Amino acid sequence: MNHKLISLKAGLYFVATPIGTARDITLRALDLLASADVIAAEDTRSMRKLLEIHGIPLGERSVIAYHDHSGQGTRERLLAALSEGKSVVYASEAGMPLIADPGYELSCAAADAGYDVTCAPGPSAALMALTLGGLPTDAFFFAGFLPNAQGARRKRLEELTGIPGTLVFYESPKRIAASLADMHHVLGDRKAALCRELTKKFEEVRRAPLSELALQLSEAGVKGEIVVLVDRARGETVSEADVEADLRAALVDNSVKDAAAIVSESHGLARRKLYQLALQIAKEG
Ligand code: SAM
């Protein structure tokens, strides 16, 4: 038995669950799951399975389904349990709750009502990707999932061009090829890493520039769960005058669009910004 029964004071306890390998759960998380008065989960089936794997009996308890759109009703029910002095554990389907997962509304409601809120931390795909992706971790920006529609996705990427840190995206295998193509288009040819199936049997980390990843994924799709890391813009070292000179040179033999693409590739700068500049230079003749 890996867990022990502990006496818990009233409060909301967020618990991180594995992102693949079932044994990636902390002993404290198991203690909390074994001892809490109430267990709530985003996915009741995977919670039951997790309890079963680790030999934790549910006893008289049921697993309450909760996500942030469950609405007032379920949240009120959990808050009522807290008001009765009960300990409530909440876990999302995988990884850390609230990280591209439910729990935010519940956390705010419990804290606003004056209850203790704490967390038994554990794995999160974003942090594991940062550990393995080979990009700087001194500063990073968690961008979560990009929008589905291309226009909205490119607009969001535009907003992220100047972030002075590694960008972290969650992505689905269905959209990964389109997203990588848009990242390349908007962010330029930055260093990147595609981190897949972390902690699982087919774990894979591909470190390559965006152009290469986009090409690979356009040729052959991938399965599984994915995190994409993208390096911050490295254009600071190129002066505006150099960029303009390169654009002028490229415009001699190329269209505005192609000239912007060529200079974007060579300096790792956002293509759209260069397109505007190239257009202006071309107009001026
Ligand atoms: N709360 C989770 C966390 O802390 O990482 C994230 C939940 S979010 C709904 C699910 C997304 O996280 C997946 O689509 C994928 O982008 C990423 N993800 C989760 N598990 C992963 C894994 N084992 N390997 C790679 N990415 C993963």
Side-chain angles (χ1 to χ4, degrees), residues 19 94-96 99-101 124-125 145 170-171 195 197-198 200 225-227:
I19 56 169
M96 286 287 276
I99 307 303
D101 258 350
S124 187
F145 289 96
Y170 281 175
E171 201 37 276
C195 310
E197 292 290 87
L198 299 172
K200 303 186 205 177
E225 298 192 281
I226 300 163
V227 182

Side-chain angles (χ1 to χ4, degrees), residues 181-192:
D182 283 345
M183 286 176 192
H184 179 217
H185 180 83
V186 176
L187 301 173
D189 201 12
R190 300 187 189 182
K191 280 189 191 173

Side-chain angles (χ1 to χ4, degrees), residues 16-21 42 92-102 122-129 142 144-145 169-173 175 195-200 203-204 224-228:
T17 53
I19 56 169
T21 296
E42 177 190 11
S92 59
E93 193 183 344
M96 286 287 276
L98 281 86
I99 307 303
D101 258 350
S124 187
L127 292 185
M128 179 150 175
F142 178 64
F145 289 96
F169 299 95
Y170 281 175
E171 201 37 276
S172 86
R175 277 192 314 254
C195 310
R196 202 168 63 82
E197 292 290 87
L198 299 172
T199 80
K200 303 186 205 177
E203 181 177 297
E204 180 195 23
E225 298 192 281
I226 300 163
V227 182
V228 176

